[in-house]
Amino acid sequence: MNNPAYPRTFSHIGISVPDLDAAVAFYTEVLGWYLIMKPTEIVEDDSAIGEMCTDVFGAGWGSFRIAHLATGDKIGVELFQFANQQNPEDNFEYWKTGVFHFSVQDPDLEGLVEKIVAAGGKKRMQAPRYYYPGEKPYRMIYMEDPFGNILEIYSHSYELTYSAGAY
C-alpha cells in the first residue's frame, strides 16, 4: 500500500541572534510573540540535551543560550545565541541554498514596519508593494530585524494572497 502524502503542520523555526536578551525583547515587544521559555544556557555535557546537541552540532560546540517563543498561531520560535556567533556583512544571500527569510502577517503592515524600524530594524524595500495593484489590497515588504535576520511582512494570509479569485 502506498500512503499518500498529507500536508504537515509547521512546528517551529530556529533563528540565530548575537544578543539573546535583546532578541527576546524585540520579538515579544515588537511582534508580540509569547515567551514560553526564558533564556537558558545549554552546555556540552552528558545530559540528554547535551548529547542531542552534540548529535546536531558535533563535538566541541561548548555552550549556547536559547529561548523559546510562540507566535499568535502557535508556531514555535527558538532563538539561539552561540558563543562563536558571527554577524555577516550582509545576511541576504538569497541565491544560496537554505532559508533566507521568514514571514509574518499583520493587517497594519505599515504600522509594524514603523515599529521594526524604531526598534533598530530596517527596510529591505523602500515601501510596501501591492500584489494586485488596483484590484486587491494585498501588500508585502521585506525587512531586517535588528540582528540582520530577514523577515517579510504580509498584510493578508498566505492562502488569500496566492489563491485565485480570493479577495
Side-chain angles (χ1 to χ4, degrees), residues 7 23 28 40 43 45 53 56 58 63 65 73 80-81 85 88 95 115 129 131 139 141 145-146 148 150 152 154 160:
T28 58
T40 303
V43 297
D45 60 16
C53 290
V56 174
S63 68
R65 294 181 69 221
D73 55 348
F80 291 87
Q81 179 184 338
Q85 184 272 332
W95 62 92
K115 288 179 182 177
R129 293 280 184 173
Y131 272 95
R139 302 174 317 287
I141 189 169
D145 72 9
I150 310 300
E152 182 180 15
Y154 274 27
L160 282 179

Side-chain angles (χ1 to χ4, degrees), residues 1-165:
M1 281 291 294
N2 189 5
N3 292 330
Y6 56 90
R8 276 37 177 217
T9 56
F10 198 91
S11 172
H12 70 278
I13 187 168
I15 301 172
S16 293
V17 296
D19 182 335
L20 186 64
D21 298 309
V24 167
F26 173 80
Y27 284 110
T28 58
E29 295 169 12
V30 176
L31 294 187
W33 293 350
Y34 303 109
L35 177 63
I36 58 176
M37 188 185 96
K38 66 181 181 170
T40 303
E41 184 174 21
I42 306 296
V43 297
E44 185 173 10
D45 60 16
D46 61 357
S47 67
I49 189 72
E51 289 180 356
M52 181 190 71
C53 290
T54 299
D55 288 346
V56 174
F57 303 128
W61 57 270
S63 68
F64 63 87
R65 294 181 69 221
I66 186 170
H68 293 268
L69 291 81
T71 67
D73 55 348
K74 303 176 185 170
I75 302 301
V77 179
E78 295 174 329
L79 297 177
F80 291 87
Q81 179 184 338
F82 293 99
N84 60 348
Q85 184 272 332
Q86 299 176 9
N87 284 340
E89 286 286 322
D90 184 2
N91 203 25
F92 195 57
E93 295 179 331
Y94 57 87
W95 62 92
K96 292 185 177 180
T97 300
V99 176
F100 77 88
H101 77 277
F102 64 92
S103 183
V104 299
Q105 179 184 322
D106 190 328
D108 182 14
L109 183 145
E110 292 79 5
L112 183 55
V113 166
E114 290 176 18
K115 288 179 182 177
I116 291 171
V117 170
K122 68 180 186 180
K123 296 179 188 179
R124 294 291 311 189
M125 302 167 64
Q126 293 295 343
R129 293 280 184 173
Y130 283 82
Y131 272 95
Y132 309 98
E135 184 183 341
K136 298 177 183 178
Y138 307 160
R139 302 174 317 287
M140 62 77 69
I141 189 169
Y142 273 82
M143 304 284 298
E144 278 186 34
D145 72 9
F147 319 102
N149 293 299
I150 310 300
L151 68 141
E152 182 180 15
I153 307 169
Y154 274 27
S155 61
H156 291 75
S157 73
Y158 189 83
E159 307 89 78
L160 282 179
T161 299
Y162 292 104
S163 61

